[in-house]
Amino acid sequence: MTLDWIQPAQRLQQLPAYVFARLDELKAGARSQGIDLIDLGMGNPDGPTPVAVVETAIAALQDSKTHGYPPVGGTDSFRKAICEWYNRRYDVSLDSETEALPVLGSKEGLTHFALAYVNPGDLILVPSPGYPAHFRGPLIAGGEIHEIVLSEKNDWLIDLATIPDEVAKRAKILYFNYPNNPTTATAPREFFEEVVAFARRHEILLVHDMCYAELAYDGYHPTSLLEIPGAKEIGVEFHTLSKTYNMAGWRVGFAVGNSDIIKNLRRLKTNMDYGMFAVVQAAAAAALQLPDVYIHEVQARYRTRRDFLVQGLRELGWSVKNPEATFYVWAKCPFGNSSEEFIESVLNKTGVVLTPGNAFGSGGEGYVRVSLIQDCDRLGVALDRLKQAGICGEMPALVTGS
C-alpha cells in the first residue's frame, strides 16, 4: 500500500540519487543470471579481522560488565588507546577526556557532525569528487553545498585560489580527505599548512577525513591535520578502523581534535544513540595497540595487488597512476565514456564490478574507482576478462610515471 498522502521530509528529497543503490541493482541482476562477479566496487576489505582483536572481543563478550549501556563518551580505555596511537603515529598530544570521541564508523560520525554544526542555509565547502558523506551529511542538515571541483592537472588537490572571496566569506565548514577517496591523491604537509591558514583567515571550521591513514606505500607517510600548528583550534579529524584492521562490519571509528567541537558532537550523539557496544570498543583499543609488523603486512598485501593491477591495466592501455596510498586505483574511462555507462557495460560484458566516478560527485565524471579487495589471482581473471571483451585504452602505457 502506497501512502501518497504522507510525504517524506524535504531533506530526503534534496538528496541526490545514490549511485551505489543502482550498482547494487546491477549486481543483483547479474547474479540472478548466474554471472560470476568479481566485485572491485566497494571499499570492503577482504581479509579477516586480526586474531588478537577477535580474541579481545571474545574475552570482553564473556564479561557481563560489558553488556550494559556503554559510557556516553566512550570507554576510558578506548579513548586512551586513540590518544596513545596519535602520539606514536604523529607526535600529537591529545586529552583523552575532551579531545577524542568514538563514533559508529566515520560515515556516521561525519553525518552526525553535520547535524551538530550545520544550520539550514549554511554554506559548506566540499571537494568533488569526494566521499559521499562529506556532502550528504550537510545536505541532510539543510546546508548549501559549494563544490570545489578537483582536477587531474592539479593532482586532485584542492586549489584554494578557485574559491571566490564571497564564497570563502560565507563558508562555515570545509570538508577534505587526504589520502583521498576516490582519487587516491596524497597531499604534502605544505598543502595542509595552506588549508589551515586559509581557514583561520576566513574563520572556517575544518573537517579532515583520514580513514586511509595507514594504507600508504613506498615510504610515503600521510600527514595528520592535527600536526599543523593551530589546526586543533579550528578543526577535527575522523578515522575509521574499517580499512586497516578489516573491521568494516564492526562499525567503529573516532573523531579527535578541538575540544569544543568534540563536546558538541558528543552532545548530539547523546541524544541520537547510546554509544558503541563496549565489546567493540575493547576490540578497537586492541587493534590500535597492535605491533607495527601487522601494519607492514597489510601495506605489503595491498602494495602487491596495486602493482599487479596497475601493470595489467597499463598493458591494456588504460591511463592509470601508481597510487601512494589507499587501496584503490583511480582510472580514466577509456575513449571518454561516461562513468555509469562504462561500468554497466563492463559489468554486462565481463562480470567485473567497478565504481563509477560520478558516485563521488560531478567532479568524478569520466573516471572509475577500482578497489584492491581481491587477491592477485582474481585480479588476473578480471584483467583477462577485460582483455577478451576488448575493454582497452586508447593507446598502451599512457602514463609511465608513478
Side-chain angles (χ1 to χ4, degrees):
M1 178 178 179
T2 302
L3 300 178
D4 295 331
W5 44 275
I6 298 180
Q7 297 299 315
Q10 290 183 355
R11 68 177 63 92
L12 285 184
Q13 298 175 20
Q14 293 171 352
L15 291 174
Y18 200 56
V19 177
F20 289 102
R22 170 60 178 158
L23 190 57
D24 285 343
E25 291 177 5
L26 292 173
K27 289 192 290 186
R31 289 193 182 99
S32 69
Q33 298 174 33
I35 296 175
D36 172 33
L37 293 185
I38 302 178
D39 195 343
L40 307 180
M42 286 191 67
N44 190 11
D46 62 318
T49 303
V51 173
V53 175
V54 174
E55 290 177 345
T56 298
I58 292 172
L61 189 62
Q62 292 173 337
D63 181 354
S64 61
K65 294 178 182 178
T66 65
H67 296 183
Y69 290 122
V72 172
T75 62
D76 289 343
S77 57
F78 184 28
R79 283 187 280 103
K80 288 178 180 177
I82 291 167
C83 295
E84 290 168 358
W85 180 83
Y86 248 91
N87 192 257
R88 291 196 312 273
R89 287 288 186 265
Y90 305 109
D91 196 26
V92 170
S93 296
L94 294 167
D95 185 333
S96 64
E97 293 291 331
T98 61
E99 296 177 333
L101 180 69
V103 296
L104 305 173
S106 59
K107 182 177 182 179
E108 174 270 346
L110 289 161
T111 303
H112 276 168
F113 167 84
L115 292 176
Y117 271 90
V118 178
N119 293 312
D122 282 344
L123 186 61
I124 312 301
L125 303 177
V126 181
S128 178
Y131 181 50
H134 298 166
F135 53 86
R136 291 178 185 272
L139 284 175
I140 290 171
E144 177 185 339
I145 302 298
H146 176 84
E147 278 193 340
I148 308 171
V149 179
L150 309 181
S151 72
E152 187 172 7
K153 292 181 180 179
N154 198 47
D155 296 324
W156 304 105
L157 290 175
I158 295 171
D159 185 351
L160 297 172
T162 65
I163 302 174
D165 286 342
E166 61 272 20
V167 171
K169 289 177 183 177
R170 277 192 59 203
K172 183 174 185 177
I173 300 168
L174 167 61
Y175 284 78
F176 67 120
N177 159 230
Y178 294 98
N180 186 262
N181 174 25
T183 70
T184 77
T186 57
R189 182 184 178 91
E190 293 76 17
F191 169 81
F192 283 86
E193 292 171 344
E194 292 171 5
V195 169
V196 170
F198 173 84
R200 292 177 69 88
R201 185 164 64 251
H202 294 287
E203 298 182 340
I204 296 172
L205 201 161
L206 293 177
V207 178
H208 185 231
D209 179 2
M210 202 180 181
C211 62
Y212 298 94
E214 302 277 33
L215 299 184
Y217 320 108
D218 309 326
Y220 172 70
H221 299 285
T223 298
S224 164
L225 170 66
L226 301 184
E227 290 182 81
I228 308 304
K232 195 163 64 171
E233 298 172 15
I234 57 169
V236 288
E237 194 160 63
F238 284 85
H239 287 259
T240 177
L241 279 74
S242 296
K243 315 300 184 181
T244 305
Y245 300 101
N246 293 322
M247 297 179 72
W250 297 65
R251 307 313 307 135
V252 53
F254 55 89
V256 290
N258 182 274
S259 59
D260 285 338
I261 299 173
I262 294 296
K263 179 180 68 176
N264 288 322
L265 178 56
R266 174 177 170 172
R267 181 181 178 187
L268 178 92
K269 284 178 59 59
T270 299
N271 288 278
M272 300 288 285
D273 61 64
Y274 267 110
M276 185 185 303
F277 188 21
V279 169
V280 174
Q281 294 191 61
L288 293 178
Q289 294 164 352
L290 288 171
D292 287 348
V293 64
Y294 168 77
I295 302 301
H296 297 158
E297 290 171 355
V298 172
Q299 291 170 337
R301 179 167 67 250
Y302 288 123
R303 182 173 59 245
T304 298
R305 296 178 182 183
R306 176 203 66 177
D307 293 345
F308 180 85
L309 182 63
V310 167
Q311 179 62 32
L313 290 175
R314 287 178 176 177
E315 289 175 357
L316 293 178
W318 286 45
S319 176
V320 291
K321 291 186 178 181
N322 230 12
E324 287 185 304
T326 77
F327 58 12
Y328 305 117
V329 171
W330 182 243
K332 187 175 291 186
C333 295
F335 303 109
N337 290 286
S338 76
S339 300
E340 285 193 63
E341 290 175 351
F342 180 67
I343 68 102
E344 187 165 351
S345 175
V346 170
L347 177 59
N348 290 334
K349 292 179 180 179
T350 70
V352 176
V353 181
L354 310 175
T355 301
N358 69 335
F360 306 98
S362 61
E365 182 53 78
Y367 291 81
V368 293
R369 191 191 71 178
V370 190
S371 298
L372 302 172
I373 55 172
Q374 303 281 350
D375 61 29
C376 288
D377 287 343
R378 289 293 276 173
L379 292 175
V381 174
L383 290 168
D384 287 341
R385 292 184 186 179
L386 293 174
K387 183 177 181 179
Q388 291 170 11
I391 301 173
C392 302
E394 298 172 63
M395 62 180 65
L398 288 176
V399 177
T400 58
S402 61

